[in-house]
Amino acid sequence: MNHFIIWDLDGTLMDSLTDLMNSTNYALSQCGMPTRSYDEVRQFVGNGVHKLIERAVGDNCSADDVERCFAVFKQHYMVHCKDNTKPYDGIIEVISQLHDKGCRQAIVSNKLQGGVTELHNEWFRGIIDVAIGETPGVQRKPAPDMVNKAIDGLKKMFSIDADAHITAVYIGDSDVDLATAHNAGLPCISVLWGFRSKEFLLSHGATIFAEKPQDILKVLPLG
């Protein structure tokens, strides 16, 4: 049986919010705009870093202001994306156990591809097989395109026929992840250590939860 597991990155595998906040606030301050709190940035993430900056800049600024701030953010974040970011406690062990069981695993993130690649190489090389970030020409989550690209990449990497039967599960922490899984036709496990509360996730249709990383091993439908 070909078991594929598709992971969200920020808020699911990685506790990255401090670095995202620091780069956001650096960009805002450099552009003469008010900075944002940790909780505000937590609410802004999930739809890619451009949308993060749009939300942080606010409705009263022009499109040019957004792009100016985004350019500063990108430059700063590519240097500082690993200052405080690290995997959540226990997540490496769970990924390793799934790898040992023969599960094929991928990251799908709305983070810029450069940041995804850097974090994958730092923490997950050898246990997560494919890492997909935001790239030109591929629609971001919640569109299914990035998930489909990851699945195609796993099939190619492991010489699995394009029409071979697979079972795939998506794991994430947000409403964006729930919508992505739905759009890709996959079941979704919602983790509760990330950027959204259980009540929020329930209100967006979540039905399967993991309170801690080891719970994923209990609820995955591996057959």
Side-chain angles (χ1 to χ4, degrees):
M1 183 68 72
N2 297 307
H3 293 300
F4 288 5
I5 299 171
I6 312 299
W7 297 89
D8 171 54
L9 185 62
D10 295 324
T12 301
L13 295 178
M14 306 293 294
D15 185 359
S16 57
L17 196 56
T18 297
D19 287 334
L20 288 166
M21 179 189 70
N22 289 345
S23 289
T24 297
N25 284 337
Y26 175 83
L28 291 169
S29 64
Q30 289 296 302
C31 294
M33 301 172 187
T35 58
R36 295 292 193 162
S37 70
Y38 183 90
D39 190 58
E40 284 177 314
V41 174
R42 182 174 64 84
Q43 296 300 321
F44 293 159
V45 297
N47 294 91
V49 289
H50 193 277
K51 181 61 70 173
L52 162 62
I53 296 303
E54 285 182 31
R55 291 166 173 164
V57 166
D59 295 334
N60 294 326
C61 293
S62 69
D64 286 344
D65 291 330
V66 173
E67 295 309 318
R68 182 165 56 96
C69 191
F70 182 55
V72 178
F73 170 90
K74 284 196 298 182
Q75 185 176 31
H76 188 271
Y77 189 65
M78 287 308 299
V79 176
H80 296 281
C81 68
K82 298 191 297 182
D83 288 359
N84 302 282
T85 295
K86 61 181 180 178
Y88 288 101
D89 290 344
I91 203 73
I92 294 288
E93 291 79 3
V94 168
I95 294 168
S96 297
Q97 289 180 61
L98 292 169
H99 177 266
D100 291 344
K101 291 176 181 289
C103 295
R104 313 306 190 185
Q105 301 179 78
I107 292 168
V108 170
S109 172
N110 279 339
K111 187 190 291 291
L112 296 169
Q113 182 66 62
V116 173
T117 298
E118 191 163 352
L119 292 170
H120 174 258
N121 289 342
E122 177 80 12
W123 295 104
F124 306 112
R125 180 179 289 277
I127 52 176
I128 291 183
D129 309 294
V130 170
I132 305 295
E134 181 181 349
T135 54
V138 180
Q139 280 192 282
R140 295 194 305 268
K141 301 185 296 183
D145 303 46
M146 299 171 84
V147 172
N148 293 335
K149 183 177 178 180
I151 290 173
D152 289 344
L154 289 172
K155 287 181 175 180
K156 183 176 180 180
M157 178 176 288
F158 294 102
S159 301
I160 298 169
D161 290 342
D163 58 352
H165 177 72
I166 65 166
T167 61
V169 177
Y170 187 100
I171 303 175
D173 73 302
S174 73
D175 52 318
V176 175
D177 294 313
L178 285 161
T180 302
H182 174 78
N183 292 336
L186 303 183
C188 185
I189 297 171
S190 296
V191 307
L192 298 181
W193 55 82
F195 300 158
R196 301 290 186 266
S197 69
K198 185 174 184 178
E199 291 72 24
F200 179 90
L201 293 168
L202 281 167
S203 73
H204 285 81
T207 58
I208 308 171
F209 297 96
E211 292 189 3
K212 57 185 183 298
Q214 282 291 327
D215 291 342
I216 291 171
L217 301 174
K218 302 174 184 176
V219 297
L220 269 174
L222 295 181

